[in-house]
Amino acid sequence: MHALPKNVQKLIDHFVRLPGIGPKTASRLVLYLLHSSESFVADFATSMGELKTKIHFCNKCFNLSEEDFCAICRDETRDNSKILIIEDVLDLIAFESMGDYKGVYHVLGGVISPLQGIGADDLTITNLIKRIKNSPVPIQEVIIATNPNLEGEATAVFIKNEVNKLNLPGLITTRIARGLPTGADLDYADKVTLLKSLEGRVEI
């Protein structure tokens, strides 16, 4: 016999499945919702439902978007000659929070990881190469900002080799500097560290 009503327990179980949320935190979240206004809970539920119906990947950079192209790709003030390559949207948010990077992005959707069965074809690398090759604005720099771990480094080398095959004049490939400790995740880095890693990038 459950101590809580079935619907309450079911919602707790859903929250527990989210990363970083244990049973106690999940219970607190559900109790908070129970004590919140009906309008807030209704809006919360609507927003959750629209994640799968209104949000999709940008057709150009694979950032999250409600339209065919995300806000960054639609921004005419961005420098389209520089592409910062990142693993996921959380990394994009981290770099955008600095407010100093004015180029555009390309979200890989992960890294090459043979142990997890993830190969280059499972990422957006092919789209990246096509994007560089067919860009109406000549790409001057490809900045690789994958995490400084084994998988991130392997992915960086693979991308560098693919970009080099294009043999485009004036195009350089750089890697963010080692201001980040080995094994760290970019989305956990502070703004100053990210800025220094970007400023100190080196050609590879």
Side-chain angles (χ1 to χ4, degrees), residues 15 20-30:
F15 275 117
I21 296 182
K24 288 186 178 180
T25 301
S27 298
R28 292 191 189 101
L29 290 172
V30 173

Side-chain angles (χ1 to χ4, degrees), residues 160-171:
K160 181 199 73 169
N161 292 337
E162 292 300 303
V163 171
N164 287 347
K165 289 177 184 177
L166 295 174
N167 198 28
L168 295 177
L171 173 60

Side-chain angles (χ1 to χ4, degrees), residues 96-136:
E96 276 298 286
S97 70
M98 297 187 313
D100 291 273
Y101 177 68
K102 303 304 180 183
V104 292
Y105 297 90
H106 190 89
V107 183
L108 295 173
V111 287
I112 297 172
S113 178
L115 291 178
Q116 297 182 24
I118 302 173
D121 293 339
D122 298 307
L123 308 177
T124 64
I125 296 175
T126 299
N127 305 82
L128 169 67
I129 300 304
K130 289 180 180 178
R131 177 182 176 185
I132 296 171
K133 186 177 180 180
N134 301 322
S135 176

